[in-house]
């Protein structure tokens, strides 16, 4: 019988606590027929260490605001895969991703989606992420069970793993399905926050983000702690868009705790379901170290003040920057010239302040307003200062 692991969760006001600040929850009990008894209070900010269907069955009806699910992909890989230089690819070959047939996978999918639908509040929403191996089967099950699909989001990976055999296109994206509990549900969508996040443009359904790497990629003894760890930026955007501070977010496939760590940062309560001891251990350490944002920052993100949009070309045409002026990076390594239409030119390449900033760094994207500097006498100043000066001079 699984138990609920204890994890520090200082922000929740409703969950019972020990004197040390840990959420206090007991082991789930079995009824006479072997069914898991439902808890009377939500085990907020805790991991339910058991199978996800069993764990969700212990929770009350309509008690969760949002569910983010990253289920097994059912990759059905056969044999080892090697890089051109001979190194073996660290692929997903764990037991939890093995299913005997598509029928077995469909039965598993329907089982967890039914429990998810039961515990989801009437105006709650569900996110599921997957690859071409499973997302279409999951999407069909969603619709068959009565969920209403709101969007499909393409996560385009800025740094995907190449196709080493050269037999197919490089698999450079995953698909997220965002669904409400029903067609008439009044789901949460923080449109304004998403527009602010996207530099005052409507947020599109194709998101470019890198896969986990560097310090974010969790490892144990030099080996990936989880083969399909998702970047925190992805969960950050999902939660910021479709939940509010204080909402309860559940992850039925908790893994190494990305959902819990981001929820803690954003002031949301969370519940995780995970039966693998090694993942639970990593998740506990990770969430313990996560620092929540201060309340004023959260309010700003939820209800930001709209500011006029200033194009870089406006500063050129109004004389704040002269045509032919030289901009440079903070370390003066890269220099570009301003043209009449507000574009920059660098070593024969031309484009916006954002595009050229990304080009010189060989990066997928760049905020040109904070990357480029101009000369003010002997000093270098970031060009965003000119934008703020223009706004102050022209505000009504």
């Amino acid at each position: 019988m699984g138990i609920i692991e204890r994890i520090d969760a200082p922000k929740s006001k409703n969950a019972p606590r020990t004197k040390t600040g840990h959420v206090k929850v007991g082991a789930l009990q079995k009824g006479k027929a072997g069914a898991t008894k439902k808890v009377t209070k939500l085990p907020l900010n805790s991991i339910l260490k058991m199978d996800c269907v069993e764990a969700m069955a212990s929770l009350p009806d309509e008690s969760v605001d949002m569910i983010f699910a990253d289920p097994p992909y059912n990759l059905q890989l056969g044999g080892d895969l090697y890089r051109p230089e001979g190194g073996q690819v660290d692929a997903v070959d764990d037991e939890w991703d093995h299913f005997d047939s598509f029928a077995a996978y469909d039965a598993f999918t329907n089982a967890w989606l039914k429990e998810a639908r039961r515990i989801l509040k009437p105006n709650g929403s569900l996110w599921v992420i997957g690859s071409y191996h499973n997302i279409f089967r999951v999407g069909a099950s969603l619709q068959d069970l009565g969920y209403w699909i709101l969007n499909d989001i393409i996560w385009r990976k800025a740094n995907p793993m190449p196709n080493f055999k050269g037999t197919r296109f490089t698999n450079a994206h995953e698909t997220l399905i965002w669904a409400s509990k029903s067609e008439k549900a009044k789901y949460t969508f923080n449109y304004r926050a998403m527009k602010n996040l996207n530099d005052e443009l409507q947020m599109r359904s194709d998101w470019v983000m890198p896969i986990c790497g560097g310090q974010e990629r969790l490892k144990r003894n030099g080996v990936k702690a989880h083969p399909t760890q998702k970047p925190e930026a992805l969960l950050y955007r999902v939660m910021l868009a479709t939940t509010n501070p204080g909402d309860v977010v559940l992850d039925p496939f908790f893994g190494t705790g990305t959902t819990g760590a981001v929820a803690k940062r954003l002031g949301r309560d969370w519940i995780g379901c995970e039966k693998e001891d090694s993942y639970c251990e990593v998740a506990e350490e990770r969430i313990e170290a996560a620092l929540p944002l201060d309340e004023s920052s959260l309010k700003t993100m939820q209800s930001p003040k709209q500011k006029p949009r200033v194009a870089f070309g406006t500063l050129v045409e109004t004389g704040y920057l002269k045509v032919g002026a030289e901009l440079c990076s903070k370390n003066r390594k890269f220099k570009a010239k301003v043209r009449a239409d507000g574009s920059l030119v660098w070593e024969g390449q031309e484009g916006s302040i954002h595009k050229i900033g990304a080009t010189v760094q060989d990066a997928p994207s760049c905020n040109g307003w904070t990357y480029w500097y101009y000369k003010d006498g002997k000093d270098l100043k970031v060009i965003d200062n000119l934008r703020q000066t223009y706004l102050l001079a022209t505000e009504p």
Side-chain angles (χ1 to χ4, degrees), residues 375-393:
K375 291 182 180 178
D376 183 16
K378 295 182 179 181
D379 299 324
L380 285 182
K381 294 185 178 179
V382 68
I383 60 173
D384 192 52
N385 287 354
L386 291 177
R387 179 169 61 165
Q388 301 307 319
T389 301
Y390 174 84
L391 285 171
L392 288 172

Side-chain angles (χ1 to χ4, degrees), residues 14-204:
N14 299 322
R17 301 176 184 284
T18 65
K19 291 182 180 180
T20 59
H22 288 69
V23 174
K24 183 180 180 181
V25 287
L28 298 179
Q29 302 295 321
K30 297 286 187 179
K32 293 182 179 180
T36 303
K37 289 184 178 180
K38 289 183 175 59
V39 296
T40 56
K41 289 186 178 181
L42 285 179
L44 298 178
N45 310 308
S46 303
I47 303 174
L48 307 182
K49 191 182 176 188
M50 61 185 70
D51 173 80
C52 67
V53 177
E54 181 184 2
M56 288 190 287
S58 73
L59 302 178
D61 295 351
E62 300 182 349
S63 57
V64 172
D65 296 285
M66 193 265 273
I67 296 173
F68 181 88
D70 184 7
Y73 287 5
N74 193 25
L75 296 180
Q76 301 192 350
L77 298 177
D80 295 329
L81 182 63
Y82 294 90
R83 295 181 172 87
E85 76 279 4
Q88 187 173 349
V89 176
D90 188 10
V92 183
D93 56 3
D94 301 79
E95 183 63 30
W96 49 258
D97 197 55
H98 294 172
F99 292 84
D100 293 334
S101 63
F102 285 132
Y105 186 81
D106 292 344
F108 165 74
T109 299
N110 282 322
W112 74 259
L113 280 175
K114 284 180 181 177
E115 279 301 321
R117 182 173 170 78
R118 180 186 62 79
I119 65 174
L120 197 61
K121 292 180 181 179
N123 294 325
S125 62
L126 169 81
W127 287 82
V128 186
I129 186 171
S131 69
Y132 67 88
H133 302 87
N134 71 325
I135 197 64
F136 303 109
R137 307 189 78 84
V138 173
S141 295
L142 277 169
Q143 292 180 313
D144 289 343
L145 291 172
Y147 289 93
W148 187 258
I149 295 179
L150 300 167
N151 274 118
D152 65 326
I153 304 293
I154 298 299
W155 167 31
R156 186 158 65 87
K157 302 173 183 179
N159 53 342
M161 180 182 294
N163 185 278
F164 294 107
K165 290 185 176 180
T167 56
R168 303 184 187 182
F169 296 108
T170 297
N171 185 21
H173 79 277
E174 292 185 33
T175 302
L176 297 93
I177 297 175
W178 176 37
S180 60
K181 193 170 182 178
S182 67
E183 182 180 2
K184 303 297 183 182
K186 297 180 179 179
Y187 54 88
T188 296
F189 179 54
N190 296 314
Y191 170 82
R192 183 66 253 175
M194 288 297 96
K195 194 170 182 181
N196 277 345
L197 199 64
N198 198 37
D199 198 19
E200 291 300 320
L201 298 175
Q202 283 192 344
M203 184 66 75
R204 293 163 36 130

Side-chain angles (χ1 to χ4, degrees), residues 234-363:
L234 185 68
L235 273 295
Y236 185 99
R237 187 174 296 184
V238 165
M239 286 190 209
L240 194 63
T242 58
T243 66
N244 293 311
D247 281 356
V248 178
V249 179
L250 180 136
D251 188 334
F253 307 98
F254 201 58
T256 50
T258 303
T259 299
V262 176
K264 182 178 177 181
R265 286 174 57 200
L266 291 176
R268 278 70 167 162
D269 286 311
W270 57 269
I271 300 171
C273 310
E274 181 54 61
K275 63 180 182 180
E276 301 290 336
D277 289 336
S278 59
Y279 296 162
C280 291
E281 181 181 346
V282 174
E284 290 173 2
E285 294 177 4
R286 179 185 192 179
I287 296 169
E288 179 81 21
L291 298 176
L293 300 179
D294 63 79
E295 188 175 351
S296 62
S297 295
L298 291 174
K299 288 182 178 179
T300 299
M301 288 188 294
Q302 291 299 313
S303 55
K305 180 181 178 181
Q306 185 175 358
K307 294 182 179 179
R309 186 165 180 253
V310 179
F312 179 72
T314 301
L315 301 183
V316 177
E317 67 183 2
T318 55
Y320 281 79
L321 268 177
K322 296 187 180 298
V323 176
E326 187 179 81
L327 303 183
C328 65
S329 56
K330 189 175 183 179
N331 61 6
R332 301 176 187 260
K333 181 178 180 180
F334 301 108
K335 298 179 181 180
K337 286 193 174 183
V338 178
R339 302 202 308 182
D341 61 356
S343 62
L344 299 186
V345 60
W346 170 78
E347 294 188 357
Q349 299 191 57
E350 57 189 46
S352 69
I353 56 173
H354 312 295
K355 179 181 177 181
I356 298 301
T359 299
V360 300
Q361 300 176 86
D362 194 23

